[in-house]
Amino acid sequence: MLSYRHSFHAGNHADVLKHTVQSLIISALKEKDKPFLYLDTHAGAGRYLLNSEQAERTGEYMEGIARIWQQSNTPVELAPYLQAVRDLNPSGQLKYYPGSPLIARHLLREHDQLQLTELHPSDYPLLRSEFQKDLRAVVSRSDGYQQLKAKLPPQSRRGLVLIDPPYEIKSDYQAVVQGIAEGYKRFSTGVYALWYPVVLRQQIKRMIAELKDTGIRRILQIELAVKPDSDQRGMTASGMIVINPPWKLEQQMKSVLPWLHQQLVPQGIGHTLVEWIVPE
Ligand code: SAM
């Protein structure tokens, strides 16, 4: 089943959180000269047109990136992420939103590498053509979870693995944990960043319990909620679970999340959280 299209949601509060964390991890990896691999298991289309029918229909980006991208007093932690958004919109109109592969493309250096997988028959060709001239990138139409076995460890022995499935099938909540365990067996020093939606809190609690059971250590949880938890339909919060986070990430997110929450949820409901699921 591949009915999910990210174009309906591009630039929403969940993307703002995900791409802030992604860009801070990439910036930290760049502090060493040694190359690294950026592996994106569920890459999406790469670029999203915000005045498309899909994006306009939900208008989610209006309560996400549109609220912060042109502000002048933004916290320093947002600089790499917002620069990627601004560079894609040089006219000053918010026309395009960069998905995770384009944020990575913007931030990676000449000697780093990108490995991107996307299964959707419409999004895959868009992603492939976006990277046609980028010699650092390999784009494949294959199952993202398989890549965690096939592409790890990277030759450089350094890397960020972003796992961002649509969770349209319930088994994704287990598949992500199995996938991480497989990846970690092969590449235990890599940074793994898993995105999750909070629709039913119980599902996330179960997923986290299963992740703890793997025995993996150094697991940081980062969350931004725009509403209180609920048993009704719809996403109330989203988060990132980061394994082997760069040492500054905890402090960076503790410092930037209250500001982000204030901008994205001016009504003041919901919450933010930065907490170790499993410490050192
Ligand atoms: N990571 C993207 C970003 O931040 O811009 C968004 C990705 S979107 C949430 C999830 C994507 O995963 C969808 O485009 C969907 O078609 C794709 N997908 C679903 N199942 C997949 C699988 N098993 N392997 C690879 N891609 C998959």
Side-chain angles (χ1 to χ4, degrees), residues 1-2 4-6 15 18-19 22 38 40-46 48 97-101 117-121 123 142-145 162-166 168 172 195:
M1 182 171 66
L2 279 171
Y4 179 93
R5 302 296 305 277
H6 196 63
D15 265 5
K18 181 203 315 171
H19 297 147
Q22 178 199 5
Y38 170 75
D40 200 327
T41 58
H42 297 71
Y48 301 95
Y97 185 75
S100 50
T117 41
E118 170 55 48
L119 268 186
H120 198 283
D123 285 346
S142 42
D143 176 34
Y145 298 117
L162 178 69
I163 305 163
D164 182 21
E168 59 182 339
D172 268 335
W195 180 83

Side-chain angles (χ1 to χ4, degrees), residues 196 198-205 221 223 229 237 271:
Y196 66 86
V198 180
V199 179
L200 292 174
R201 176 64 66 181
Q202 215 40 44
Q203 279 170 326
I204 301 308
K205 285 192 173 161
Q221 181 181 13
E223 189 172 292
D229 287 358
H271 63 257

Side-chain angles (χ1 to χ4, degrees), residues 17 19 36-37 42 61-62 64 76-77 111 132 138 140 142 168 199 216 223 227 239:
L17 177 71
H19 297 147
F36 62 88
L37 170 72
H42 297 71
Y61 74 96
M62 295 300 291
V76 61
E77 291 83 3
H111 58 299
Q132 216 154 29
V138 176
S140 58
S142 42
E168 59 182 339
V199 179
I216 296 174
E223 189 172 292
K227 289 180 194 161

